[in-house]
Amino acid sequence: MVSVDGRRISLSNLGKVLYPETGTTKGDVIAYYAEIADVLIPHAANRPATRKRWVHGVGTPDAPGEMFFQKNLDDSTPNWVIRHSIEHKSHRNEYPVVNNRPTLVWLAQMAALEIHVPQWQFGRTGTPRNPDRLVLDLDPGEGVGLQECAEVARLVRGILTGMGLDPMPVTSGSKGIHLYAALDGKQTSDQVSAVAHELARALEADHADLVVSDMKKTLRTGKVLLDWSQNSAAKTTITPYSLRGRFRPTVAAPRTWKELESKTLDQLDYAEVLARVKKSGDPLASLTAGHLDSLEPTAERMAGFDRLEKYRSMRDSSKTPEPVPHAAAGGTNGMSFVIQEHHATRLHFDFRLEHDGVLVSWAVPKNVPTDVGKNHLAVQTEDHPLEYGSFEGTIPKGQYGGGEVTIWDSGNYELEKWRDGKEVIVTLHGTKPTGLGTPKRVALIHTGGEGKADQNWLMHLMKDQQATSTAPAAMLATAGAVGDVDDDENDWAFEMKWDGIRAIATVSHGTVTLTSRNGIDLTASYPELSVLADAVGDHPATLDGEIVALDRKGRPDFGLLQQRMNLTGFRDVERARASTPVHYMLFDLLALDGRSLVKNELDSRRQALESLVDPPAGGAVQVPPQFVGSLHDAISTSLELGLEGVVAKRRDAGYEPGRRSRSWLKIKHHRAQEVVVGGWRPGQGRRANGVGALLLGVPDGTGFRYVGKVGTGFSDAVLDGFTTTFASRTRVKPTLDGVPAAEARDVHWIRPDLVGEVEFAEWTATGRLRQPSWRGWRPDKSPKDIHLE
């Protein structure tokens, strides 16, 4: 009984000879795999492992040993072995994945000499991804050998390099050479196979005396078979650094291109490979370094993954009322959640968070904890479609999850942290009086279990039920008109009104934290604004400003800024940041060096702001000029610059956190109104299969009063986004009051929890918006923030 990285494994028959020609024992094999694990595992991890076992050894040329394939795991498999299932035509196999040293040692103990894996990996919930590497197997026919394989490898290298790929050679440990090249995961296995097949045919046409692409053995004499077929999703290739079940303990050994030039090139045995790795490391390391991280299911790459394959494989749409769409909805900025009470074999609750176009799901037997001292088990299940967020009904007996499903609570969540497979922290805002009640801040923490326990998480109710930010609430301006400002007395200062979102910045010890006006942490979404720390130097400070995105003419564009909102994943943010950088327009200083300035007059705060901030090069942080004197001049400048309007501020007024004050008046060139969206009507013509118009409302007592519909101002991308965003918010009953019967006839009602903004000409006598045009979503605001402008 030995301990391998904390796992206890029983080893037996260590002296048994598995390679008679060299006297290599089972103990030698186990020792090799334990030592080579650090370089082998990156090439095998997260892939289903098929094993070739020689329980009684490989034998001799005169008496070969018996070998058998093993795909499925048997009942004696330790619980800590990580595993995933694959649905085949007539059965389901459960495969181990070689993600750690103990699993490798356990396989060696069972005399699994060869480990074969496909060119794709399992995703987070066990769904196969697209392949992340291409492989070509150069197999010599009778009359040729390794030298001819090396010659073909160089020919292949020339083609792949011209395609922008970087092929790397591996002597197979058998007779030939394998070539690997890293892929970005955008192509399916069929697409990669088609390219590999065409490459093989092209080389065969140009070098018919040396290369063959047909598998028939009769055609391979004197030639090298360029086997392209191992890129099929159903095929496997021996993993780099795996032993071979040959008569000598040779290894599928990564090599350098310089080595392939050698006239004495030969296959390597395990002792030679161990010595090489100890001296020079892994020549194949760049195959996995970096590019695998880019294969996470980001919004841009969702089309390359089928996040619902496992969900669909478990359901028959002709036998269950559950939604079974053909594909996931794709990248989405939606932040919905649902908790469904599920009376299946045992009563439990299904907890689902909208993320990356699906509902990431956990089964929580005891529901969300109500005591900070008692954590509840949450078992992660397959991703569900967004449509499942509104599902209620009876799943027939005999079908997966058979039983009654009802919605216990649903609503929106605020995201604080999302680390795939490790930790999720959210604040849940429910809508049902009998559900969560007050907002609940909960953490989902992976237990670190492996094997059967790999899907186990703990759900913890956080002690702090308040917003996570300690920044003061933003002071708010009141809608005004030119006649509200008497600038003869020089009592007012005027600033440009920036078309963006408010953010309070807290700078401390070189760290910048950005908080929206409704308390959401925006820091991860706008990393370029960290330069604010350099702009204020060593002074702890709290500042107020507006985050904007500028168009090609340098004007703020609210529609452009929408591309940056709600992004929190590092790669999503970096990609959007490259195409749509943001700028922080500072206009107030609320605290400096630990001293609050909110009671100081505006002039005093403004002077301190200008003295403090040294805007860095590049313009990410700016202190735009303030006008004193003529409102007319300020408005003229605003029009000339193509801005939204001006904000007039009393120079002698203090800063009033969280209050809407007439000390600040916003004077716009065009009328705008924040609204909730309560439903949508289908379009006509090219919009016939989607959204034609949105029904809008504003808070009115306990509900929302209908104020009209908007059908203009939408780009195609915005319209496509509506379909995704609304999918999980469907409601049967009207969610807006006072909608005329003629307009309510074909409405698709949705939960009224999303805030948008429209531009309009005027209010009608009946309290409707005249000529509204859509401006965009306001994720920085909630329905309770809406007031009539």
Side-chain angles (χ1 to χ4, degrees), residues 427-446:
T427 299
L428 306 172
H429 297 272
T431 57
K432 288 197 172 187
T434 57
L436 291 168
T438 59
K440 296 293 188 295
R441 183 166 170 248
V442 299
L444 285 152
I445 304 167
H446 191 260

Side-chain angles (χ1 to χ4, degrees), residues 68-83:
F68 66 93
F69 277 98
Q70 185 170 3
K71 296 186 177 182
N72 213 9
L73 287 173
D74 51 39
D75 294 338
S76 64
T77 303
N79 284 338
W80 47 260
V81 173
I82 302 172
R83 80 268 330 260

Side-chain angles (χ1 to χ4, degrees), residues 533-605:
D534 297 328
V536 303
D538 297 328
H539 300 277
T542 303
L543 308 97
D544 195 356
E546 191 96 350
I547 298 175
V548 301
L550 305 180
D551 63 17
R552 292 181 179 179
K553 295 182 180 180
R555 297 170 179 172
D557 186 329
F558 187 70
L560 200 59
L561 185 61
Q562 296 270 308
Q563 300 176 24
R564 293 292 302 270
M565 293 181 182
N566 284 329
L567 298 181
T568 56
F570 174 77
R571 295 176 190 87
D572 291 341
V573 171
E574 288 300 299
R575 189 176 297 107
R577 173 182 173 181
S579 60
T580 311
V582 298
H583 305 261
Y584 191 29
M585 304 300 188
L586 292 167
F587 50 70
D588 219 323
L589 180 61
L590 313 187
L592 180 62
D593 293 329
R595 182 171 62 90
S596 173
L597 305 180
V598 296
K599 293 184 179 180
N600 293 14
E601 295 181 351
L602 174 65
D603 279 355
S604 172
R605 302 196 309 274

Side-chain angles (χ1 to χ4, degrees), residues 712-736:
T712 61
F714 309 135
S715 67
D716 289 341
V718 168
L719 287 169
D720 292 342
F722 287 158
T723 303
T724 300
T725 301
F726 298 158
S728 61
R729 292 181 163 81
T730 302
R731 291 291 179 267
V732 176
K733 296 181 179 179
T735 54
L736 302 177

Side-chain angles (χ1 to χ4, degrees), residues 39 144 171 173 179 192 222 305 366 388 482 529 597 647 748 762:
V39 291
V144 295
T171 47
L179 293 180
V192 175
F305 297 104
K366 296 183 179 180
Y388 215 100
V482 173
L529 301 186
L597 305 180
V647 180
H748 297 260
E762 62 179 352

Side-chain angles (χ1 to χ4, degrees), residues 89 136 202 218 296 347-348 395 691 724:
K89 289 184 179 179
L136 296 168
T218 56
E296 289 303 315
L347 169 64
H348 66 275
I395 303 172
V691 175
T724 300

